Amino acid sequence: MSRNPLASKIAVPYARALYDYSVEQNVMHKITADFQNLEGKIVVALDVQNETEELIPVFTSKDQTERIFISEHLGKFFRVLVKRNRLNLASEISKNYLELVYKTASVKMVEVSTAFPFTTVQKLNLIKKLKELTNAREIRLVINVDSSLIGGFLVKLDSNVLDFTIKNQLENLAKELGCTLGRLDQTD
């Protein structure tokens, strides 16, 4: 979930405006559900032919074969992004919008990188521990599988990183052995 700082900075006011709109119009649940359906996908085009439809198709592949239907409220917002040439920021705006919603609802977004996919039991245990650690009402996991970690997992929560990976343990062991071997060389 590494972010482009400039895109994130530009996306914040759009996300805030959409959040305020969703509260004023009492449609937060619809827009949040739309963004959750789009999570992990990149919006590349909007079907502008359907100006009056209640559900608007959004294309999530460059060849415009994969599409997802969104509510008219988010469709209007995406039209504004198209007019301002900002549709490329849709996923960053989505992340910022969902962070605002989750913060309001006491939901924590937690990024987890793991060497192997978690089982359902492992996910539930991790969520339980993270709830205790953060006092959040709900935890939403964003899980990335990264085989370079060798084993274990890495948790990113706000600005904290908890690294339980074998890769990290091996790197620490190598550093420690390097220092020990360095001291042995100096005594000869």
Side-chain angles (χ1 to χ4, degrees):
M1 214 161 58
S2 117
R3 291 182 162 186
N4 174 342
L6 181 60
S8 186
K9 188 171 185 146
I10 295 169
V12 167
Y14 285 100
R16 184 74 212 180
L18 183 60
Y19 175 82
D20 292 342
Y21 169 83
S22 72
V23 170
E24 289 169 13
Q25 299 297 313
N26 197 26
V27 292
M28 184 186 294
H29 61 287
K30 286 183 180 180
I31 293 174
T32 301
D34 285 343
F35 274 138
Q36 287 171 335
N37 287 338
L38 288 170
E39 204 164 22
K41 296 181 180 2
I42 297 173
V43 176
V44 294
L46 190 64
D47 187 349
V48 291
Q49 309 308 318
N50 295 316
E51 290 285 332
T52 59
E53 298 294 322
E54 189 169 311
L55 294 176
I56 294 115
V58 179
F59 298 107
T60 58
S61 60
K62 287 193 190 316
D63 61 1
Q64 297 189 357
T65 54
E66 183 184 339
R67 60 186 191 164
I68 294 175
F69 289 90
I70 58 172
S71 68
E72 63 182 313
H73 303 286
L74 190 57
K76 288 177 187 177
F77 180 75
F78 279 175
R79 284 191 192 96
V80 170
L81 294 179
V82 168
K83 286 177 186 170
R84 294 185 178 181
N85 200 23
R86 297 280 195 218
L87 190 60
N88 60 324
L89 296 174
S91 68
E92 196 63 38
I93 293 168
S94 170
K95 290 174 191 169
N96 283 290
Y97 173 84
L98 289 174
E99 284 175 3
L100 288 168
V101 170
Y102 294 158
K103 185 176 181 182
T104 302
S106 185
V107 176
K108 285 279 188 188
M109 288 288 291
V110 180
E111 182 180 353
V112 179
S113 297
T114 177
F116 301 99
F118 282 148
T119 65
T120 303
V121 173
Q122 289 171 323
K123 285 180 193 174
L124 293 173
N125 286 336
L126 182 58
I127 289 170
K128 182 180 175 185
K129 288 291 183 188
L130 290 170
K131 278 183 180 178
E132 291 171 10
L133 183 67
T134 63
N135 293 323
R137 190 176 57 78
E138 186 179 333
I139 300 286
R140 292 216 11 126
L141 295 178
V142 177
I143 299 176
N144 303 311
V145 177
D146 180 359
S147 59
S148 73
L149 299 176
I150 304 170
F153 60 95
L154 177 102
V155 177
K156 294 179 186 172
L157 175 65
D158 298 326
S159 61
N160 299 319
V161 177
L162 305 170
D163 194 338
F164 303 106
T165 62
I166 292 177
K167 179 180 179 181
N168 181 52
Q169 292 171 6
L170 289 173
E171 287 171 354
N172 289 338
L173 184 60
K175 286 178 191 173
E176 197 173 304
L177 287 174
C179 290
T180 304
L181 292 175
R183 278 188 252 141
L184 287 175
D185 289 341
Q186 292 172 359
T187 58
D188 286 342

